[in-house]
Amino acid sequence: MNAGTATPFNIRFGPKEPRIGSDLWSSEHTSIRSARLVNYWRIVWLVVNPKQAIVLVAAGSGSRLGMGVPKAQVRIGDATILEHALRACLASRIDAHVCVVLPPGDDTLRAVVDHSGGPSVTVVEGGVTRQASVRAGLSTLPSTVRYVLVHDAARALTPPEVFRRVLQTLMDGAEAVTPGVAVADTIKSVSDGCVAATPARAGLRAIQTPQGFTLELLRRVHSETSDADITDDAMLVESLGVPVRVVEGHPEAFKVTTPLDLMLAEALVRRAREHAGEQQ
């Protein structure tokens, strides 16, 4: 029987066949190497030429939480509030430069960023007010940035899809965007200890972060407006008469402000960890 001819059992004698799985192994590892190379160049491009940015504000004192340390240092489960917030920013998979605004001289939180961040994450020291802290973050952003998301680290458990929803609305043409959730309670306006009005609940939203803006607009409103009573960046934009689009927020994007908020956050993290264990 000549080499290379087929037997009745379709066995061929000829050139040595490759070992079982060797082609698969080679193909699989080539794909892994290619993916790593693509990711490397994506990060290089992001660092050099970012189009989006996230300013993560973590400079608050946390006095209402009453833990005796800056709020971002407080732990929720096995990680600090800042770690959870930074993970949420990175998990959104938005190709964004992230600027973390920290309390001046806080080496503890700086170490958290160094450990949890990456080449696209930078740090700047904040100011006395939230507006001053946001301005400090804006001042460090590269000139290539077009859209900026401002996020409160205290909303540490904000799901990644909220970030993506805000950014997509900006990319679709809005100049200012905020997430919000419908309110469950009846809200009343009070004056001199008496009810002045009861606004229709259907038109009310509890506003969250991240809030998104074109960088040009946000820098302009911060340079033109300074009001201690303004509590978020959307209010700054509203003061200039610029429309602010509202997109769907998420119940888990609540702000950790009081001990009760912290208890809820810990319960959510514990539930998520238990669910992940059940999935394994």
Side-chain angles (χ1 to χ4, degrees):
M1 185 179 299
N2 294 328
T5 61
T7 70
F9 301 101
N10 291 325
I11 300 173
R12 292 185 179 274
F13 296 88
K16 185 178 179 180
E17 297 291 330
R19 289 183 301 161
I20 295 175
S22 63
D23 284 349
L24 177 62
W25 185 92
S26 176
S27 174
E28 180 179 317
H29 281 258
T30 297
S31 297
I32 292 173
R33 288 194 298 270
S34 297
R36 286 175 176 171
L37 186 61
V38 168
N39 192 53
Y40 169 79
W41 284 113
R42 184 185 67 82
I43 292 173
V44 170
W45 177 259
L46 170 60
V47 172
V48 175
N49 191 43
K51 298 297 183 184
Q52 291 88 232
I54 299 173
V55 174
L56 180 59
V57 185
S61 65
S63 58
R64 284 176 289 178
L65 198 54
M67 302 296 286
V69 295
K71 185 189 295 186
Q73 288 189 24
V74 174
R75 301 188 77 80
I76 302 175
D78 62 349
T80 63
I81 284 177
L82 177 57
E83 286 174 279
H84 283 289
L86 188 53
R87 287 173 187 172
C89 292
L90 300 177
S92 69
R93 304 298 295 172
I94 293 174
D95 285 338
H97 171 92
V98 180
C99 177
V100 184
V101 187
L102 299 180
D106 195 323
D107 294 334
T108 299
L109 290 179
R110 188 176 288 269
V112 168
V113 177
D114 290 342
H115 180 263
S116 303
S120 62
V121 180
T122 60
V123 170
V124 67
E125 292 188 345
V128 177
T129 65
R130 185 183 185 280
Q131 284 188 52
S133 293
V134 173
R135 280 196 294 269
L138 295 177
S139 69
T140 70
L141 299 185
S143 60
T144 57
V145 170
R146 182 175 180 184
Y147 306 116
V148 58
L149 274 58
V150 180
H151 186 47
D152 293 332
R155 298 184 187 275
L157 305 184
T158 302
E161 62 263 26
V162 180
F163 290 81
R164 294 193 289 265
R165 197 148 49 229
V166 170
L167 178 60
Q168 186 60 58
T169 306
L170 284 174
M171 297 176 71
D172 288 343
E175 286 188 278
V177 184
T178 185
V181 292
V183 297
D185 297 323
T186 297
I187 306 297
K188 294 187 180 292
S189 173
V190 177
S191 176
D192 294 327
C194 296
V195 173
T198 304
R201 188 168 59 186
L204 299 176
R205 295 293 182 271
I207 295 304
Q208 303 174 329
T209 68
Q211 296 178 342
F213 311 89
T214 61
L215 180 58
E216 179 183 7
L217 171 63
L218 192 56
R219 279 180 168 162
R220 177 163 66 89
V221 297
H222 269 277
S223 67
E224 295 179 3
T225 309
S226 180
D227 186 341
D229 293 330
I230 290 180
T231 56
D232 70 357
D233 297 279
M235 288 180 67
L236 286 175
V237 171
E238 293 166 39
S239 70
L240 296 186
V242 177
V244 180
R245 289 282 304 279
V246 179
V247 298
E248 188 65 29
H250 196 282
E252 293 181 10
F254 64 92
K255 189 175 183 180
V256 178
T257 302
T258 68
L260 185 59
D261 298 327
L262 184 60
M263 290 174 61
L264 175 58
E266 289 172 340
L268 289 171
V269 168
R270 184 165 56 251
R271 185 189 68 177
R273 187 182 304 116
E274 291 171 354
H275 180 71
E278 292 172 358
Q279 297 295 103
Q280 293 179 353

